[in-house]
Amino acid sequence: MKSAPKQVPQSRVLDKGIWGMSRPMFIDQAVTYTIPLVDMYFLSHVSDSAAAAVGAVTPLVFVANAFLIVSAFAGASIASQRIGANDYARGNATIAAYALFVMALALIAALAVNHGGPWVASAMSLSVEVEQHARTYLSIIGWMVALWGCRVIYQTILNIYGEPQWNTYSNIILFVTNIIGGYIAVYGFMGIPPTGVTGVAISSVIAAGASLTFVAIVVHFKLRIHIPLREGMKNFAVLMTPVIMIAAPSILEPMSFQAYMIALNWIAAEVGDLALKVKVYAYNTFLFCLMISIALGMATEAIIAQRVGRKEFDLVDTQLKQTLKLSLIGTTALALTWLIFNKPILQLFSDDPEVIAIGLWAFALSFLAEPWRTVNITIGSALRCTGDAAFTSISSIGVIWLFSVPFAYILAIPCGLGLYGLLIAAVSDEFIRALIKCWRWRKGYWKYTGVAAREERSG
């Protein structure tokens, strides 16, 4: 029997629509993407080398985070398709299965970052001071990755049930705790001595733990959403098979992209510490622009997955076009603001006149990449949540490693363009991958890759 008993909480995603789902997600993402800027601000007051060190190895943390987030969101897309078809029993069992899966991955990711991260830092062309800061940061920050992995499980549950506002409150807790911890780490407080990079990393771990505790309490005690872990374990293989079909290829693209960011940082370090510092400041500033496309993309994923479960394909296509239009307008406006105010923004992090001097062109090239990055995020997330992940991920990986990385190296080193060459290659990379995703969506293969369509073909 597919209909859920009356006492079981019901999803409110389709009732809320794109604005009802995305409004709290804007705040959620604003807080999320402010955190790297806050950390960079505090670290720049330790030294430019500390900020550059953490910025250089941050993509490694993003790789681990992406690994966990994509796994959870792949499971959430399947659970949402089940719930869209009013099959709450299998939907909640799917949540239980991917929750167990992501928790195991979170532990592995933490150990990999804490123990493998310092080795990666030593393999990069960093100066002695920058490398030491990077090794210190990476030896601690893995535990934040693990806590974020567990937190994203609850984040997806709240999105599935149409309650994203609780994620906003969780992120506010994360943000405030992180600011307090960062301030104490850099300046000390009431007899507590400054602890620099070590303290900033520890404060991030504590902040992640506080936000995880909050969402766990909301899901289990406020909303009383029951997650049948026993059933998830019992039918783990069956429940996870469609999840893995989305997660496996979907994981590869963001991991590949963050590895690409590490490669660009390595090339920037080869150019010199100045190039690395400016690249880190520009990249982390423009990360904030992603809050619009990611917030709208997450809301759209929740809606599209349930529409696909109902086979309402025309509404799916209309929803994506609406989201893409809104995302492009919002992201371009915010990126233009960063470009106009590039000098005061850079002065928040550095008083080095060389950093300020080349910052304008770094910001200008970063601005040109934003519309194409928005297309990549919006259409890519839509393709993944419908189950059409393999082609998109494989093609993106091919573009990154067969074209973008060699192109970046050639422009930066042999052609002598340095930082500008890296950023020109980054714009080209986003543009090509965006064209591929647009073409794939228009082909319409996503209509036949949902879990219901797959089960109909196999049954």
Side-chain angles (χ1 to χ4, degrees), residues 433-451:
R433 291 190 293 114
L435 289 182
I436 292 172
K437 286 183 173 66
C438 288
W439 171 81
R440 184 66 175 183
W441 182 266
R442 288 174 181 170
K443 283 291 183 180
Y445 295 114
W446 52 270
K447 297 176 183 177
Y448 312 104
T449 52
V451 64

Side-chain angles (χ1 to χ4, degrees), residues 49-130:
S49 293
V54 173
V57 297
T58 292
L60 186 63
V61 178
F62 286 167
V63 166
N65 275 336
F67 187 60
L68 301 172
I69 290 169
V70 172
S71 299
F73 273 81
S77 69
I78 298 299
S80 290
Q81 289 181 41
R82 300 286 192 199
I83 288 173
N86 207 31
D87 189 352
Y88 278 79
R90 293 183 74 186
N92 286 337
T94 300
I95 292 173
Y98 79 71
L100 293 168
F101 181 65
V102 172
M103 282 190 286
L105 292 181
L107 179 59
I108 294 170
L111 295 174
V113 172
N114 283 353
H115 297 287
W119 176 84
V120 173
S122 66
M124 297 176 71
S125 300
L126 304 175
S127 65
V128 174
E129 184 182 4
V130 172

